[in-house]
Amino acid sequence: MSLEFKDLNLEKTVTDAIRDAGYNNPTSVQGKAIPKILNGLDILGIAQTGTGKTASYLLPLISKLSKDRSRALMPRCLILCPTRELALQISKAFSLYSKHTKLTDLVIIGGTSYKNQEKAISKSPDVIIATPGRLVDHCSKGKLLLTQTKFLVVDEGDRMLDMGFIPDIKKILNLLPIKKQIMLFSATMPNELESIANKILINPFKIEITPQGSTSNVIEQKVHIIEITSNKDMFIKKSNHLILTIENERSLKNSIIFCNRKRDVERLSKFLSARGIKNTALHGNLNQIVRNEVLNSFSSGKTKNLIASDVASRGLDIPEVSHVFNFDIPINLEDYVHRIGRTGRAGKTGKAITIGF
């Protein structure tokens, strides 16, 4: 008999929201994490992307938070994540699962108005979802107090490490009360992150869904080797090969095409557009409004192909991505795992093609 959400002691408001969303059975990480979080344990979760990790901490936290209210300027729960896109994605999931409660959340990220965020903080949100840098700015100005924040989630811990956010996270930890529950999730566990986890987590329950650095078995992975005669013709040859591959992939519904450099994202976008392949580009130099427009266009199906830097390799939950193309070979294994994890999500199959030379 398979486990169901109603068996996990979640509040009825939460199970009703889950049912409304069309879900009945928890994923492996959800089935393991939810009871432990409800019981107040610290969590160390190592799970590859697409395993339902976000709901594994949101559902029990919403259950616990729905029994009380926040004080002025004092949120009870803080969720830290490395990118703006992931913060917005978590907020969307929070709204979905908390819709039968009176809980509120606030996204605090760069690229948006300080004053608007300060006004929103004054309304005493129950949950703050933030990137570390902007959160530290508000705390240092006395606009936000974390003395009543009893729940901390650090999501995409390995990405936090890569992006240099660990010093900010340490500052934030010093602002939290002594008694708190911490949940640290990461797709991989580098030595430095493991050392940090050992310092901040107290007798954590460890969840490891797949071996570190592994990829989902529902993703078909291929490498296309093409002959390059010189650096001068490399871009053109790779681009033409990509076009032929896109045209020959009959099962392609939409795709994310990854480049290592922002300038190549723009260059490839223009190259494909000039040859009749509609696309949109996403990279870190775009302001938040444009980034949101690009993501909405892709997730709604208006745009079939998204060309992106690694800003899109983590945290984005777009369930219907059929193909991922690595126009450039990722710099490390972790980036490869996260890139191809944009397809094959929630049990669906996907295809990842890397262009090599």
Side-chain angles (χ1 to χ4, degrees):
M1 184 175 178
S2 60
L3 186 68
E4 295 185 11
F5 281 109
K6 62 183 179 63
D7 302 320
L8 296 177
N9 296 319
L10 293 162
E11 290 292 303
K12 187 176 183 302
T13 52
V14 176
T15 54
D16 285 348
I18 297 168
R19 182 201 61 221
D20 293 347
Y23 302 121
N24 293 311
N25 305 106
T27 65
S28 180
V29 66
Q30 291 163 1
K32 293 177 181 180
I34 289 172
K36 301 302 180 182
I37 294 174
L38 288 173
N39 288 335
L41 295 180
D42 282 6
I43 298 292
L44 177 59
I46 305 171
Q48 66 185 44
T49 187
T51 55
K53 166 178 56 70
T54 302
S56 74
Y57 62 76
L58 281 182
L59 297 177
L61 287 174
I62 291 169
S63 280
K64 298 179 84 163
L65 292 167
S66 63
K67 300 172 184 177
D68 203 354
R69 292 291 294 165
S70 290
R71 299 180 187 179
L73 304 181
M74 296 181 183
R76 289 177 292 146
C77 177
L78 173 61
I79 301 172
L80 295 176
C81 49
T83 66
R84 305 170 188 177
E85 286 74 21
L86 179 54
L88 294 169
Q89 189 69 48
I90 294 169
S91 177
K92 184 178 178 181
F94 178 86
S95 297
L96 177 67
Y97 298 131
S98 67
K99 70 175 188 175
H100 295 306
T101 74
K102 295 182 180 180
L103 296 174
T104 58
D105 75 302
L106 171 63
V107 175
I108 296 181
I109 54 178
T112 54
S113 166
Y114 267 103
K115 288 188 177 181
N116 288 345
Q117 288 174 0
E118 288 174 3
K119 288 179 183 177
I121 290 170
S122 69
K123 296 179 181 178
S124 304
D126 298 283
V127 177
I128 285 183
I129 304 164
T131 48
R134 178 58 68 93
L135 185 81
V136 168
D137 288 345
H138 282 289
C139 291
S140 65
K141 294 177 181 178
K143 301 296 182 180
L144 179 64
L145 301 175
L146 301 180
T147 54
Q148 297 297 318
T149 303
K150 300 296 179 66
F151 305 103
L152 171 67
V153 177
V154 179
D155 205 348
E156 301 283 11
D158 49 359
R159 185 66 163 171
M160 294 280 205
L161 185 65
D162 292 343
M163 296 176 69
F165 282 134
I166 299 303
D168 284 336
I169 292 175
K170 289 179 178 178
K171 290 177 184 177
I172 293 165
L173 284 165
N174 289 332
L175 300 174
L176 298 173
I178 294 174
K179 189 176 180 181
K180 55 188 172 292
Q181 184 179 3
I182 301 178
M183 290 134 276
L184 171 61
F185 288 88
S186 184
T188 60
M189 190 55 57
N191 291 336
E192 187 177 349
L193 185 60
E194 186 172 11
S195 176
I196 293 167
N198 290 336
K199 293 176 182 176
I200 67 174
L201 301 175
I202 300 175
N203 298 321
F205 180 77
K206 187 175 182 179
I207 302 167
E208 188 164 5
I209 301 302
T210 54
Q212 290 190 39
S214 67
T215 56
S216 173
N217 57 12
V218 299
I219 302 173
E220 179 185 353
Q221 301 173 58
K222 290 186 175 182
V223 178
H224 291 186
I225 304 297
I226 59 175
E227 184 180 354
I228 300 294
T229 55
S230 68
N231 287 334
K232 187 176 181 180
D233 67 1
M234 183 189 303
F235 179 84
I236 300 298
K237 279 200 171 183
K238 288 172 64 179
S239 300
N240 285 329
H241 181 83
L242 175 65
I243 291 172
L244 286 173
T245 304
I246 289 173
E247 291 174 344
N248 290 330
E249 283 292 320
R250 294 183 179 180
S251 62
L252 190 147
K253 296 178 181 178
N254 58 3
S255 75
I256 301 180
I257 304 164
F258 284 103
C259 300
N260 288 348
R261 298 182 296 184
K262 299 171 188 176
R263 68 183 184 186
D264 286 336
V265 170
E266 290 288 351
R267 188 181 178 193
L268 182 60
S269 177
K270 292 175 182 176
F271 187 94
L272 296 186
S273 294
R275 284 152 182 81
I277 295 181
K278 294 181 179 180
N279 67 85
T280 189
L282 178 68
H283 54 75
N285 284 354
L286 303 176
N287 66 46
Q288 192 60 46
I289 293 174
V290 175
R291 287 162 80 163
N292 290 345
E293 289 174 350
V294 167
L295 287 172
N296 288 336
S297 176
F298 183 68
S299 60
S300 67
K302 291 179 181 178
T303 304
K304 191 174 180 178
N305 300 292
L306 175 67
I307 304 174
S309 63
D310 281 305
V311 73
S313 69
R314 305 187 186 219
L316 299 186
D317 186 12
I318 305 170
E320 300 299 329
V321 177
S322 68
H323 285 62
V324 166
F325 295 99
N326 287 309
F327 183 78
D328 294 318
I329 297 173
I331 296 172
N332 54 54
L333 174 61
E334 287 80 6
D335 286 339
Y336 178 78
V337 171
H338 283 287
R339 283 183 182 186
I340 74 167
R342 298 308 98 203
T343 188
R345 299 180 72 79
K348 295 181 175 66
T349 59
K351 195 166 185 179
I353 297 174
T354 299
I355 300 175
F357 55 89

